[in-house]
Amino acid sequence: MCGIVAYTGHREAFPIILKGLKRLEYRGYDSAGVALLNGDLSVYKKKGKVAELEEFVAGQSLDGTIGIGHTRWATHGEPNDTNAHPHQSFSGDLAIIHNGIIENYESIRQELVNKGHQFTSDTDTEVLIHFIEDIQKNSNTSLEEAVRLALQKVVGAYAIVVMSHKEPKQLIAARKGSPLVIGVGKGEYFIASDATPIVEYTNEVIYLDDREIAVIDGDQLSIKNIDSVPKTPYIHTIDMELEAIEKGGYEHFMLKEIFEQSKSITASMRGRVVADKHRLHLGGLTEYFNRLMSADRIMIVACGTSWHAGLVAEYLFEEFARVPVEVEYASEFRYRNPVIRENDVVIAISQSGETADTLAAIELAKSKGAIIFGVCNVVGASIPRATQAGAYIHAGPEIGVASTKAFTGQITVLTMMALMLAHRKGTISESKFREFLAELEKIPAKVEQALKLNDQIKYISDVFKDARNFLYLGRGYNFPVALEGALKLKEISYIHAEGYPAAEMKHGPIALIDEEMPVVFIATADSSYEKVVSNIQEVKARRGKVIAIVTEGDTQIKNIADHVIEIPKTPEALTPLISVIPLQLLSYHVAVMRGCNVDQPRNLAKSVTVE
Ligand code: G6P
């Protein structure tokens, strides 16, 4: 939530910051702003998308080789020009950009008001920059020291960059709970919420840790922790291609990412599944694998789409490895004093690796002695660094706010984890294990085949684009897929949709069914097929409209459903990897037809770094 970018070096800062903000817009797009130093400290900010800021500043001279920029997802104060970042201090000498929430801002604000400060915005961020200036003046200290003293008093989460009119070569960056990456160029530095604004210029980055403060002064960088203890910066070389973060001819990132899935699933398995040698190995699990082997219970914590992947994992781990699994919303888990025993293992799933609730759930579980495995996409993010073991999904950057390829990547990795555990525990036979490895290797080709249904799904989308509600029903492995299908539709098309276990329909949702109600059934040829067919009959008997995702060659449902989408056959446990594809496409096309902004749906953000 909120994207921040800063630059200092020998180039013009504005174009770099603007491009960076566009890359980070997935994190929030309520308003955007920049501050540039060129003799004066000039701030330009505007409600709306980065493009609106660009239009607003067109024709102005935006010189300066040092500057900061921000794209906002509103927490304190409605999205408007005044609440947009950067915010300035009382004197106007300092400017700040901030991602996170300062929880004790109200008491600090009151203290400052008593001293005569006046605030122009409703934000916690403006309070912080006033506070920093107040400390600097009262203690007659350096800006760096004032930032440090202020942050010691602050409760909450932040990634900030501060600049000062009086220190024209300095950028001060700090983080706690919100991500911050520093790109190290030749005589220039880039600071951003993630590496996407940086990769175009350098692949050398430093991930700032919590409670660290970085000071860039000219071409010098130093990092200390909040208690002034110097740290030696560790420079990582990142491997991210520019084309991975561009649309590459697709109309939207979401569509590109849907179509990338056969490639991204292959990437998730690369070097891990070697079916012809009957080998499956996830190196990141090795060190703590014994803990997984002896786990009495696995607890999965996640949010949103990642939580749905966790539900699929529940079926996988229980079926194959015969270990009980509980799947928890991280936001509930962290506040309900959960019982965590010595032999419990926690798996945290997160695309971004930055979700605040998931991070807090991890910290809680750790404090109770649990071992945490992470399943994340963004390399070097906070969650992979906070967990003791785990596996990246290697799906490549996911930029569309609605998660697609991360979901299939997460399920691929969780399937591999479950199979690896089952194999070592002996809860799966050697022949079944080999069969599943071979089937896993066939998944990318089947995904490719499912993507060929795009035109048919576009046609169906046109039929139902004006519906006001949708129901998604599935059983077993396809129940979480039903939840995910409904989530995708509501996120990007703003049509109300509910996912339900098909058998539960008769305990409530059936009351909603009439000729206006489209019901999407995921009715593949698996163990509950006949029962789902009965549920379809029940919907048809009440004149509901049925769109059924079925296995290729199905004849029975063809005779009852209004629309049938045939997907390739795969073992039941691997079905979600294929059955979710038509649902992603359905939501995409419906949203486009309704004129919605698919990549930037209203009110949402991709990285939820506030609780
Ligand atoms: C937000 C995103 C979702 C995502 C969820 C969890 O709500 O819009 O797409 O599933 O956060 O994010 P994570 O990065 O932890 O998977």
Side-chain angles (χ1 to χ4, degrees):
M1 279 182 175
C2 300
I4 65 182
V5 192
Y7 174 79
T8 174
H10 43 80
R11 310 184 212 210
E12 283 301 314
F14 181 71
I16 295 173
I17 293 171
L18 190 76
K19 204 180 221 184
L21 290 180
K22 287 184 179 166
R23 296 216 194 284
L24 290 180
E25 221 172 359
Y26 72 86
R27 302 177 66 88
Y29 30 82
D30 292 335
S31 58
V34 289
L36 298 166
L37 244 180
N38 188 9
D40 294 331
L41 178 66
S42 315
V43 177
Y44 309 87
K45 46 193 200 171
K46 196 81 197 128
K47 178 182 172 189
K49 305 243 157 72
V50 177
E52 279 158 74
L53 171 71
E54 195 175 7
E55 232 170 75
F56 172 65
V57 298
Q60 309 204 40
S61 75
L62 300 163
D63 301 333
T65 54
I66 181 165
I68 58 182
H70 187 271
T71 177
R72 178 170 187 243
W73 187 87
T75 58
H76 293 63
E78 64 170 83
N80 59 27
D81 294 354
T82 323
N83 287 333
H85 298 217
H87 287 285
Q88 284 176 271
S89 58
F90 198 23
S91 71
D93 281 346
L94 309 183
I96 188 172
I97 45 174
H98 170 217
N99 163 211
I101 290 181
I102 306 301
E103 289 170 14
N104 58 339
Y105 85 104
E106 195 47 64
S107 57
I108 301 173
R109 183 180 218 270
Q110 206 44 60
E111 241 177 71
L112 293 170
V113 167
N114 294 345
K115 289 183 177 176
H117 282 243
Q118 284 159 13
F119 294 91
T120 53
S121 80
D122 310 316
T123 65
D124 49 341
T125 308
E126 191 187 10
V127 173
L128 178 58
I129 196 66
H130 278 231
F131 188 39
I132 291 170
E133 181 169 78
D134 186 64
I135 292 177
Q136 193 184 5
K137 282 202 174 131
N138 290 336
S139 340
N140 197 17
T141 183
S142 66
L143 180 60
E144 177 188 346
E145 192 53 20
V147 169
R148 188 182 327 282
L149 292 171
L151 294 181
Q152 281 173 347
K153 300 225 165 84
V154 149
V155 178
Y158 54 80
I160 55 165
V161 185
V162 175
M163 65 194 286
S164 166
H165 178 230
K166 293 187 179 145
E167 300 284 356
K169 291 189 169 166
Q170 233 182 48
L171 287 177
I172 298 180
R175 75 160 269 180
K176 182 174 163 254
S178 298
L180 211 54
V181 186
I182 300 173
V184 183
K186 290 200 172 65
E188 57 184 351
Y189 291 95
F190 307 80
I191 305 174
S193 300
D194 71 26
T196 56
I198 298 174
V199 285
E200 196 169 336
Y201 311 100
T202 175
N203 63 353
E204 304 214 313
V205 302
I206 297 163
Y207 295 105
L208 212 60
D209 271 325
D210 272 353
R211 299 170 58 80
E212 283 184 357
I213 300 174
V215 178
I216 297 167
D217 204 340
D219 58 3
Q220 297 300 311
L221 165 76
S222 64
I223 299 181
K224 292 181 188 157
N225 73 10
I226 203 166
D227 302 315
S228 282
V229 180
K231 303 275 265 190
T232 310
Y234 179 77
I235 299 182
H236 298 254
T237 304
I238 48 168
D239 173 24
M240 191 191 283
E241 300 291 330
L242 197 54
E243 65 185 34
I245 52 172
E246 292 183 335
K247 280 193 208 149
Y250 284 90
E251 203 183 328
H252 295 100
F253 278 111
M254 183 183 180
L255 191 63
K256 175 184 179 231
E257 287 155 10
I258 291 173
F259 273 87
E260 269 174 358
Q261 286 176 105
S262 87
K263 223 172 72 195
S264 56
I265 293 174
T266 305
S268 302
M269 294 193 287
R270 186 165 298 127
R272 293 164 164 178
V273 178
V274 191
D276 57 354
K277 298 209 169 74
H278 319 303
R279 262 207 335 252
L280 171 61
H281 186 70
L282 289 153
L285 308 188
T286 320
E287 201 181 332
Y288 289 93
F289 203 75
N290 284 346
R291 292 291 294 265
L292 206 50
M293 291 283 285
S294 57
D296 288 335
R297 178 174 63 154
I298 294 175
M299 304 181 89
I300 296 180
V301 291
C303 303
T305 290
S306 300
W307 183 77
H308 295 156
L311 290 179
V312 175
E314 176 179 15
Y315 288 82
L316 290 163
F317 278 96
E318 294 204 342
E319 176 176 346
F320 295 121
R322 307 301 302 144
V323 52
V325 177
E326 279 169 32
V327 190
E328 306 256 1
Y329 285 116
S331 52
E332 289 298 314
F333 178 86
R334 62 180 289 197
Y335 285 120
R336 66 164 181 73
N337 194 11
V339 176
I340 301 170
R341 301 188 208 94
E342 211 179 300
N343 281 343
D344 288 341
V345 159
V346 173
I347 300 179
I349 309 172
S350 172
Q351 187 287 126
S352 62
E354 298 293 348
T355 302
D357 283 321
T358 311
L359 257 170
I362 290 170
E363 294 310 332
L364 174 72
K366 256 195 197 167
S367 72
K368 297 188 179 232
I371 289 292
I372 328 283
F373 289 75
V375 174
C376 295
N377 191 31
V378 178
V379 176
S382 303
I383 293 177
R385 289 189 294 137
T387 47
Q388 291 104 328
Y392 283 115
I393 64 172
H394 296 308
E398 190 182 67
I399 293 166
V401 167
S403 183
T404 52
K405 65 175 179 172
F407 180 68
T408 47
Q410 288 162 344
I411 295 176
T412 306
V413 165
L414 291 159
T415 306
M416 291 189 286
M417 282 176 81
L419 286 172
M420 190 170 153
L421 180 62
H423 191 227
R424 295 266 194 98
K425 282 176 85 173
T427 48
I428 187 172
S429 69
E430 187 62 32
S431 61
K432 264 260 163 292
F433 176 70
R434 291 180 182 191
E435 183 191 321
F436 267 98
L437 294 192
E439 289 291 348
L440 261 177
E441 281 201 332
K442 291 183 200 155
I443 291 290
K446 292 181 185 176
V447 166
E448 206 61 64
Q449 213 179 316
L451 289 167
K452 295 207 171 103
L453 300 164
N454 190 35
D455 286 343
Q456 187 204 355
I457 294 165
K458 206 167 171 179
Y459 169 80
I460 299 174
S461 307
D462 194 39
V463 176
F464 293 103
K465 63 178 189 303
D466 298 319
R468 297 180 57 199
N469 298 287
F470 262 77
L471 258 184
Y472 285 73
L473 301 175
R475 293 186 77 144
Y477 283 96
N478 279 325
F479 159 53
V481 177
L483 295 179
E484 176 60 9
L487 177 64
K488 286 289 86 91
L489 190 76
K490 58 190 154 195
E491 275 181 313
I492 59 170
S493 74
Y494 318 139
I495 296 176
H496 170 250
E498 273 191 63
Y500 243 78
E504 276 291 304
M505 175 183 68
K506 53 189 165 302
H507 299 292
I510 199 164
L512 300 170
I513 290 169
D514 60 18
E515 57 276 14
E516 303 275 292
M517 175 67 100
V519 185
V520 180
F521 274 95
I522 305 120
T524 46
D526 55 39
S527 52
S528 49
Y529 178 77
E530 293 301 340
K531 306 215 181 292
V532 177
V533 171
S534 305
N535 298 140
I536 296 178
Q537 298 280 20
E538 289 155 12
V539 169
K540 285 311 299 174
R542 287 157 184 86
R543 303 212 191 127
K545 298 281 181 294
V546 171
I547 305 159
I549 316 293
V550 300
T551 305
E552 232 170 17
D554 184 287
T555 50
Q556 212 177 332
I557 297 180
K558 243 181 210 160
N559 293 327
I560 351 170
D562 298 86
H563 301 273
V564 159
I565 299 168
E566 294 186 55
I567 59 169
K569 185 166 177 47
T570 194
E572 188 169 347
L574 305 183
T575 311
L577 291 168
I578 315 290
S579 58
V580 76
I581 308 278
L583 305 188
Q584 295 169 341
L585 286 168
L586 182 71
S587 61
Y588 172 78
H589 290 301
V590 169
V592 170
M593 287 169 189
R594 289 167 70 95
C596 301
N597 186 339
V598 169
D599 282 336
Q600 293 168 349
R602 70 181 178 213
N603 304 338
L604 295 177
K606 186 150 191 73
S607 258
V608 183
T609 51
V610 296
E611 64 170 287

